Amino acid sequence: MTAGGDLGDALLGLVDAVDADLLVIGARRRSPVGKALLGSVAQTVILEAKLPVLVVKAP
């Protein structure tokens, strides 16, 4: 598992623990190489969340 998966899973566990209705996360643009090598916490959260996720693009 990638570090992104570990962090994403930890965040989703916290969201479940507090019984949140919506998760808001910030995302920044990454190159395809950066995504492949480092993983993506945002991607893990978006794909695995059981609640609505609002992604806000960084300026």
Side-chain angles (χ1 to χ4, degrees), residues 19-49:
D19 196 29
D21 294 322
L22 174 70
L23 176 60
V24 179
I25 60 172
R28 59 187 171 97
R29 187 174 191 95
R30 294 173 56 183
S31 70
V33 173
K35 289 178 188 176
L37 294 176
L38 302 176
S40 172
V41 174
Q43 182 177 352
T44 298
V45 169
I46 292 166
L47 294 176
E48 296 183 13

Side-chain angles (χ1 to χ4, degrees), residues 8-21 23 48-51:
D9 291 340
L11 178 59
L12 291 173
L14 179 61
V15 168
D16 285 342
V18 299
D19 196 29
D21 294 322
L23 176 60
E48 296 183 13
K50 296 177 182 167
L51 72 162

